[in-house]
């Protein structure tokens, strides 16, 4: 069959373009299979906290499929552009439009079959390693891998749909073009893009607005919504700025005679200007993908690194019970019996009596009780005698003086206004071993220490609650069983009961799954970024080849050619990474606010992870730059 031979010929002839396309799709098939194999692993779903991990993995799968579909479509568009000239030649040799459709279909089918089969094999091979990684992050030794054919079927269906859409789009593009004109279409020069000053200004305004929303995100119930709004604004603004503002910048550089009329600048500015409409979208995509990699890794690694601090903030003891009354004698006796039953010993009992925390906002030096989307904190009070006993301190307070413990805030006011009364802040203390998160809410806890109980009730006139806790000793399994038995015995609501071991397993399942998903998604996005950069370089190399050959004939030396190539490629490469680091800089306050909803207030962890991740990304990006620059230069310099 001549159509099949031509499809195979084109696939093998264009190895420099076909091989990276196959390689990237193999990666996406592999990672999609890994996600599906985890989701359909009954052993994970039946685990104590497997439902949490399963839900997070499903969210990650949706994102992976979306990125894979868009990236595959982008790469195939560039492949199709290079294929157009060859199709034009076939049409001149007598092949009909239907024959051209068959060639396109067979070529895309070959891509699909190769990627699905080899990708499925790689997925099965690497899923073992991925499962071991998830098991380590999950912290569950009882997990074991199960194999089922369902993930393979779903992978085949998902990528069949993606390649079907690609085929339909190729057929539609072929339908609108007369086959005899395909050759002319492939060699048609691109027109100089028009300046859109209004759109450029609008893009910068939208981008600045996105940055403003990100910087002003507060750790409230509305934080996720504001963060999503900021992402949408930054995405729209980035595309407008890269597409329109870049054209305006290049035209401004062209008007600058001292800059433009130098061989390397003249060639690079001219080449980029004539293709910046498409180039700008690609640069924006690269910048946003790099930003996504940074945000995904920084957020997930920060949560895993800070989960121990989070557990300690939620509960000062291994087991803590928050109730409206102290534990009765019979309740204590029952707890002791359960401890003996599960071979657990108890120590360091502690009871802290505080006023029932109220939700509200700490703004400036004033706390206002309110419960809505702007709520940031919970506020409660206790007497100085308890604080000194727990902390082993010897503070003295007058009737109008207070101590303030507000983790995760930078409260530095000298006074605090509550319910119309003003109190002098003697000190903002840095530790309180009796602190806890009431009801496991997402808001920051604030504890105010007053001179006595009377003033404490005046500051927050709410009934007392009793946080009663103790440490436990024994095997981890016995301690978990004991904690679960205590909760059932006391018939206490889960929001008022905390076990560090139970909570630790829950957070390991949740944050471990997030980190696992973040790493896999980052691999996908790195793959997508590399592929976009590669095909951009290949596409532009073929487009610029003719221009450089003409320039060499009129006197452009080989040294000047290499200098011009370096100038152009470096300019194109630096813009996305600069944009990504700038985006992250403005996103950090929003990330910090969102992490605060998980009671992760350690800014040092966030900044350390951010700098390390940025460094790794920049090094990886420069390696991609060096590799693709050589590819671009070989295409341009090839006779």
């Amino acid at each position: 069959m001549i159509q099949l031979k031509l499809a195979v010929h084109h696939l093998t002839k264009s190895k420099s373009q076909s091989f990276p396309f196959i390689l990237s799709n193999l990666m996406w098939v592999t990672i999609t299979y890994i996600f599906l194999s985890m989701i359909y692993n009954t052993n994970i779903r039946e685990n104590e906290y497997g439902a949490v991990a399963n839900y997070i993995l499903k969210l990650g799968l949706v994102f992976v499929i979306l990125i894979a579909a868009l990236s595959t479509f982008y790469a195939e568009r560039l492949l199709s552009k290079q294929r157009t000239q060859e199709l034009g030649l076939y049409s001149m040799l007598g092949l009909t439009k239907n024959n051209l459709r068959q060639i396109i279909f067979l070529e895309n089918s070959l891509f699909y079959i190769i990627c699905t089969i080899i990708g499925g094999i790689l997925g099965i091979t690497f899923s073992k390693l991925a499962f071991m990684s998830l098991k380590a992050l999950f912290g569950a030794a009882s997990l074991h891998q199960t194999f089922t054919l369902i993930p393979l079927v779903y992978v085949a269906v998902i990528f069949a749909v993606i390649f079907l859409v690609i085929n339909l789009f190729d057929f539609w593009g072929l339908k609108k073009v007369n086959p005899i004109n395909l050759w002319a279409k492939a060699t048609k020069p691109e027109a100089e893009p028009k300046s859109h000053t209004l759109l450029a200004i609008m893009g910068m305004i939208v981008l600045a607005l996105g940055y403003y929303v990100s910087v002003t995100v507060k750790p409230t119930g509305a934080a996720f919504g504001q963060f999503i709004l900021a992402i949408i604004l930054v995405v729209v603004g980035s595309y407008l700025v890269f597409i329109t503002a870049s054209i305006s910048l290049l035209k401004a550089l062209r008007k600058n005679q001292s800059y433009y009329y130098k061989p390397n600048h003249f060639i690079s500015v001219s080449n980029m200007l004539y293709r910046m409409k498409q180039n700008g979208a690609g640069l924006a995509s690269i910048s946003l993908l790099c930003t996504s990699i940074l945000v995904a890794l920084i957020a997930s690694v920060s949560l895993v690194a800070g989960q121990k601090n989070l557990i300690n903030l939620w509960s000062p003891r291994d087991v803590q019970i928050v109730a409206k009354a102290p534990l009765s004698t019979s309740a204590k006796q029952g707890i002791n019996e359960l401890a003996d039953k599960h071979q657990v010993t108890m120590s360091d009992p502690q009871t802290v009596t505080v006023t029932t925390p109220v939700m509200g906002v700490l703004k400036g030096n004033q706390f206002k009780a309110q419960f809505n989307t702007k709520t940031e904190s919970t506020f409660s009070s206790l007497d100085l005698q308890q604080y000194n006993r727990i902390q082993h301190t010897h503070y003295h307070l007058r009737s109008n003086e207070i101590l303030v413990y507000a983790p995760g805030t930078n409260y530095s006011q000298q006074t605090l206004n509550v319910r119309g009364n003003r109190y002098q802040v003697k000190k903002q203390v840095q530790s309180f071993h009796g602190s806890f998160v009431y009801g496991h809410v997402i808001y920051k806890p604030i504890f105010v220490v007053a001179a006595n109980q009377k003033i404490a009730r005046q500051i927050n006139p709410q009934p007392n609650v009793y946080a009663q806790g103790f440490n436990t000793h024994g095997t981890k399994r016995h301690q978990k069983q004991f904690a679960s038995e205590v909760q059932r015995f006391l018939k206490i609501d889960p929001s008022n009961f905390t076990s560090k071991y139970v909570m630790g397993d829950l957070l390991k399942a949740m944050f471990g799954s997030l980190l696992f998903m973040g790493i896999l998604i980052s691999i996908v996005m790195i793959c997508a970024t590399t592929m976009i950069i590669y095909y951009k370089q290949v596409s532009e190399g073929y487009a610029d080849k003719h221009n450089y050959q003409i320039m060499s004939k009129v006197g452009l030396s080989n040294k000047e050619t290499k200098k011009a190539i370096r100038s152009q490629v470096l300019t194109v490469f630096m813009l996305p990474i600069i944009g990504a680091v700038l985006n992250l800089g403005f996103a950090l306050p929003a990330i910090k606010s969102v992490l605060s909803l998980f009671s992760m207030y350690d800014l040092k962890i966030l900044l350390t992870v951010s700098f390390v991740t940025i460094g790794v990304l920049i090094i990886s990006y420069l390696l991609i730059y060096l590799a693709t620059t050589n590819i671009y230069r070989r295409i341009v310099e090839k006779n």
Side-chain angles (χ1 to χ4, degrees):
M1 185 180 179
I2 186 64
Q3 289 88 340
L4 179 60
K5 289 182 179 179
L6 291 173
V8 173
H9 169 73
H10 186 261
L11 192 150
T12 53
K13 177 188 173 185
S14 308
K15 291 179 182 178
S16 62
Q17 299 169 57
S18 300
F19 182 72
F21 181 75
I22 292 172
L23 192 63
S24 60
N25 276 282
L26 287 178
M27 178 72 71
W28 290 319
V29 170
T30 301
I31 292 178
T32 303
Y33 173 83
I34 290 173
F35 267 98
L36 285 165
S37 67
M38 299 297 174
I39 290 169
Y40 284 95
N41 188 311
T42 53
N43 190 245
I44 293 178
R45 284 186 294 175
E46 293 169 1
N47 186 269
E48 188 175 4
Y49 300 111
V52 175
N54 197 265
Y55 178 74
I56 292 171
L57 290 170
K58 284 179 179 178
L59 291 178
L61 176 64
V62 172
F63 189 82
V64 167
I65 293 172
L66 181 63
I67 292 292
L70 293 176
S71 300
T72 302
F73 185 80
Y74 176 86
E76 205 278 335
R77 288 292 86 212
L78 294 177
L79 279 174
S80 177
K81 185 176 180 181
Q82 297 300 321
R83 184 173 55 194
T84 301
Q85 189 170 4
E86 201 158 321
L87 292 177
L89 177 61
Y90 296 157
S91 67
M92 291 179 181
L93 295 174
L95 294 184
T96 64
K97 192 181 293 186
N98 189 47
N99 296 140
L100 298 180
R101 287 196 197 96
Q102 291 173 3
I103 294 171
I104 293 172
F105 175 78
L106 289 170
E107 187 174 338
N108 288 335
S109 297
L110 287 172
F111 279 130
Y112 167 74
I113 292 169
I114 294 170
C115 295
T116 305
I117 293 175
I118 301 178
I121 295 170
L122 291 174
I124 294 171
T125 305
F126 286 103
S127 62
K128 180 68 176 178
L129 177 62
F131 184 83
M132 290 170 61
S133 303
L134 181 62
K135 183 178 177 179
L137 293 169
F138 216 86
S142 61
L143 286 181
H144 60 270
Q145 190 177 15
T146 59
F147 177 78
T148 174
L149 289 174
I150 295 176
L152 284 174
V153 174
Y154 275 119
V155 165
V157 171
I158 289 167
F159 282 88
V161 172
I162 292 173
F163 277 91
L164 177 62
V165 172
I166 287 173
N167 271 316
L168 293 175
F169 200 90
D170 285 341
F171 292 167
W172 179 258
L174 197 63
K175 180 181 178 181
K176 295 187 294 183
V177 179
N178 188 340
I180 202 67
N181 296 326
L182 282 173
W183 183 280
K185 182 184 176 184
T187 56
K188 182 182 178 181
E190 296 191 41
E192 179 180 324
K194 297 180 181 179
S195 295
H196 297 283
T197 307
L198 183 62
L199 282 177
I201 295 172
M202 187 183 299
M204 287 186 281
I205 292 173
V206 171
L207 188 61
L209 187 60
Y211 288 157
Y212 173 77
V213 173
S214 180
V215 170
T216 55
V217 169
K218 300 293 182 183
T220 66
F224 283 108
Q226 290 177 301
F227 191 42
I228 295 299
L229 175 62
I231 290 172
I232 293 171
L233 290 172
V234 168
V235 169
V236 174
S238 295
Y239 275 103
L240 287 175
V241 166
F242 271 97
I243 294 172
T244 58
S246 56
I247 293 172
S248 300
L249 174 64
L250 288 170
K251 288 193 173 184
L253 290 175
R254 190 173 63 177
K255 290 179 181 179
N256 186 343
Q257 296 184 4
S258 60
Y259 175 88
Y260 183 63
Y261 289 108
K262 292 180 180 179
N264 56 323
H265 295 160
F266 173 81
I267 297 169
S268 61
V269 171
S270 298
N271 283 340
M272 287 191 294
L273 180 60
Y274 275 85
R275 290 191 311 279
M276 205 58 199
K277 187 175 180 180
Q278 292 80 9
N279 209 4
L283 294 177
S285 299
I286 294 168
S287 180
L288 292 171
L289 283 168
C290 290
T291 305
S292 302
I293 293 168
L294 291 171
V295 171
L297 285 179
I298 288 170
S300 55
V301 172
S302 296
L303 283 172
V304 171
Q307 67 183 9
K308 186 176 180 181
N309 294 340
L310 191 159
I311 295 171
N312 290 333
L313 180 69
W314 276 26
S315 174
R317 293 289 187 267
D318 291 342
V319 175
Q320 178 159 283
I321 302 151
V322 179
K324 294 181 179 180
L327 290 173
S328 64
T329 304
S330 61
K332 291 179 180 178
Q333 183 178 351
I335 292 173
N336 288 328
E337 290 174 358
L338 288 173
D340 292 337
K341 176 185 174 182
H342 292 284
Q343 304 173 31
V344 170
T345 57
M346 298 181 292
S347 65
D348 306 316
Q350 174 180 282
T351 300
V352 182
T353 306
V354 301
T355 56
T356 302
V358 295
M359 298 178 186
V361 177
L362 181 62
K363 190 174 183 180
N365 67 341
Q366 182 172 358
F367 178 82
K368 183 179 179 182
Q370 64 181 50
F371 180 59
N372 51 33
T373 55
K374 295 183 180 180
T375 300
E376 297 180 17
S377 309
T378 60
F379 183 91
S380 59
S381 56
L382 67 152
D383 61 277
L384 179 64
Q385 184 181 358
Q386 284 193 92
Y387 183 83
N388 281 335
R389 173 177 57 81
I390 294 168
Q391 296 296 123
H392 305 291
T393 55
H394 302 282
Y395 285 110
H396 296 280
L397 296 175
R398 296 190 181 95
S399 59
N400 68 331
E401 290 181 333
I402 58 174
L403 302 176
V404 176
Y405 176 65
T409 67
N410 296 317
Y411 190 78
S412 58
Q413 302 291 330
Q414 299 299 313
T415 61
L416 178 65
N417 295 333
V418 185
R419 302 181 67 252
N421 298 318
R422 176 175 293 184
Y423 301 91
Q424 295 293 321
V425 179
K426 186 172 184 178
K427 186 178 181 180
Q428 182 180 353
V429 293
Q430 299 303 312
S431 65
F432 176 35
H433 300 318
S435 69
F436 62 96
V437 177
Y438 182 70
H440 297 168
V441 294
I442 62 175
Y443 308 116
K444 297 177 181 178
I446 298 174
F447 292 90
V448 172
V449 182
N452 52 55
Q453 289 186 6
K454 182 180 177 181
I455 299 174
R457 291 294 297 273
Q458 179 183 317
I459 292 173
N460 182 32
Q462 299 292 328
N464 286 338
V465 293
Y466 300 83
Q468 303 152 95
F470 48 84
N471 290 328
T472 58
H473 308 278
T475 65
K476 182 179 177 181
R477 182 171 64 87
H478 287 156
Q479 290 180 81
K480 284 179 63 179
Q481 290 173 348
F482 166 68
S484 300
E485 286 284 342
V486 169
Q487 183 182 349
R488 283 194 290 269
F489 171 70
L490 297 176
K491 298 179 181 178
I492 192 166
D493 188 89
S495 62
N496 292 322
F497 182 87
T498 305
S499 165
K500 283 190 175 181
Y501 292 101
V502 174
M503 190 61 65
D505 285 350
L506 172 62
L507 294 181
K508 273 187 177 181
M510 184 165 64
F511 295 163
S513 302
L514 283 171
L515 179 58
F516 178 80
M517 183 182 72
I519 291 171
L520 284 185
I521 286 178
S522 296
I523 292 172
V524 169
M525 290 188 289
I526 289 171
C527 184
T529 303
T530 305
M531 191 196 66
I532 290 173
I533 292 171
Y534 176 85
Y535 279 111
K536 253 174 54 61
Q537 296 288 60
V538 170
S539 177
E540 292 179 9
Y542 283 112
D544 294 343
K545 181 178 179 180
H546 180 65
N547 296 336
Y548 276 106
Q549 287 176 346
I550 293 175
M551 298 292 271
S552 65
K553 290 177 181 178
V554 296
L556 188 71
S557 67
N558 189 48
K559 182 179 179 181
E560 289 172 327
T561 299
K562 291 181 179 179
K563 190 175 180 181
I565 290 171
R566 280 197 301 270
S567 175
Q568 176 178 338
V569 176
L570 186 62
T571 303
V572 171
F573 255 76
M574 286 291 88
L575 289 175
I577 198 66
I578 291 171
V581 174
L582 184 65
N583 289 343
L584 179 67
F586 284 99
L588 277 178
I591 295 172
K592 180 177 179 293
S593 294
V594 172
L595 292 180
S596 295
L597 299 180
F598 296 95
S599 302
M600 213 294 284
Y601 307 129
D602 197 330
L603 185 60
K604 184 179 178 181
I605 290 177
L606 179 62
L607 292 178
T608 302
V609 172
S610 299
F611 283 121
V612 171
T613 308
I614 289 171
V616 172
L617 180 66
I618 289 175
I619 292 171
S620 304
Y621 196 80
L622 290 175
L623 291 174
I624 297 171
Y625 160 72
L626 293 173
T628 54
T629 300
N630 290 332
I631 293 168
Y632 177 88
R633 191 174 66 248
R634 283 202 301 268
I635 293 172
V636 169
E637 294 176 351
K638 186 178 180 181
N639 291 326

